[in-house]
Every structure is written in structure tokens, then in C-alpha cells.
Amino acid sequence: MHVLLGEQRTAGQLTSSRPRDHVATRTTSPVAVRYGLPPPRATVARPELFDRLDEGVRGPLTLVTGPAGSGKTQLLTAWLTARPPAGPVAWLSLEPSDGHPARFWGELLGLLDDASEDGIAGLPDPSDGITGDFVAALASAVNELSPPVLVVLD
């Protein structure tokens, strides 16, 4: 699994990551607004940033940072549209309620299960609490995903 995180910061920076597959685009459904790739918009071509994202997905994590409104979501949307990934993509637009660990982990597990070919089963229920056993079981399940899943937390 590779995770791309969009976060509000004052410095824009890209680091590392790993491969991916299909890309789902959001529709007008309220559920799709949270779980799919936003619809692409006309943008200025940024091949140098796409190249850096391509490099980044070879490692475990890529962090895309910048202030609110700087185009992080649009950059990732344009990149995933222009350069379709090799494996599945799980996109989650975060909300304030995702600050509750059980909800966040439950959402992420659902996305990983949907995005992976074989699903991820047998994990402890995150609503029972996030323990070392949960994290170890999740890490093991994610390492066994084939093909790897690209996760975008926006």
C-alpha cells in the first residue's frame, strides 16, 4: 500500500511512495464525494510535478503539502487521470469526524477491502479500540495486498 496525503502546510514538498491500479472518479452521489477521485478540471500542465509523484510512489509514503487552495487535490486528480496507476486507488476525502480513530480506521479498512482484489479479512474491529494487535494485523494484511493499493487521504 502506498499512501498519498494532502495536508495544509506552508511549504510544498513531495517525498516517496509505491505502485497502483484503477482510478474511480467521483460522481454526483454524496457518497462518491467522499470516496472517489474528484472530477478533473482544466489545469496548467505540470509534468515536473507528475514526474516527482511517479518517483514518490516507489516508496512507502508521499506527502503533498501546501496551504489550503494551493491545488493539492487538483494536482493528484490530474496526475491520476493523466498517468493511470498500475494498481487500485483508494481515495478518501477526510472530514472532521475522521478525527475519531474508530471511524477513520473503519473507513480506511472499507476502502482497502473494496480496492484490493481479494479484500482484507480477519482484522480486529477498529471500534473495539486501536491496539498494537490491530496495527500489526493491518500492516500484515497490507503487505500481502497484490497488487499494492495506492491510498489517497485528502
Side-chain angles (χ1 to χ4, degrees):
M1 172 178 75
H2 178 77
V3 180
L4 289 170
L5 301 171
E7 109 180 21
Q8 295 178 10
R9 291 218 178 150
T10 54
Q13 174 182 340
L14 298 174
T15 52
S16 64
S17 189
R18 199 177 175 180
R20 49 252 190 298
D21 182 29
H22 73 278
V23 180
T25 302
R26 289 183 191 170
T27 63
T28 56
S29 159
V31 172
V33 169
R34 188 160 151 76
Y35 301 107
L37 194 66
R41 298 184 311 196
T43 60
V44 174
R46 301 295 302 265
E48 68 285 350
L49 292 179
F50 287 7
D51 292 344
R52 291 183 71 186
L53 287 167
D54 289 340
E55 284 178 43
V57 294
R58 293 188 196 113
L61 176 71
T62 298
L63 180 63
V64 179
T65 63
S70 64
K72 300 174 298 293
T73 300
Q74 192 56 41
L75 169 66
L76 293 173
T77 300
W79 171 63
L80 289 169
T81 302
R83 299 183 182 180
V89 173
W91 184 293
L92 177 62
S93 295
L94 299 174
E95 298 177 343
S97 61
D98 291 317
H100 300 287
R103 177 180 166 121
F104 169 75
W105 289 108
E107 296 285 344
L108 184 58
L109 289 176
L111 282 172
L112 288 170
D113 194 51
D114 290 346
S116 62
E117 291 177 5
D118 299 326
I120 53 172
L123 294 175
D125 185 344
S127 63
D128 293 338
I130 307 305
T131 64
D133 289 343
F134 172 81
V135 174
L138 177 60
S140 177
V142 164
N143 283 332
E144 293 176 14
L145 292 177
S146 182
V149 176
L150 174 68
V151 177
V152 178
L153 303 175
D154 185 30

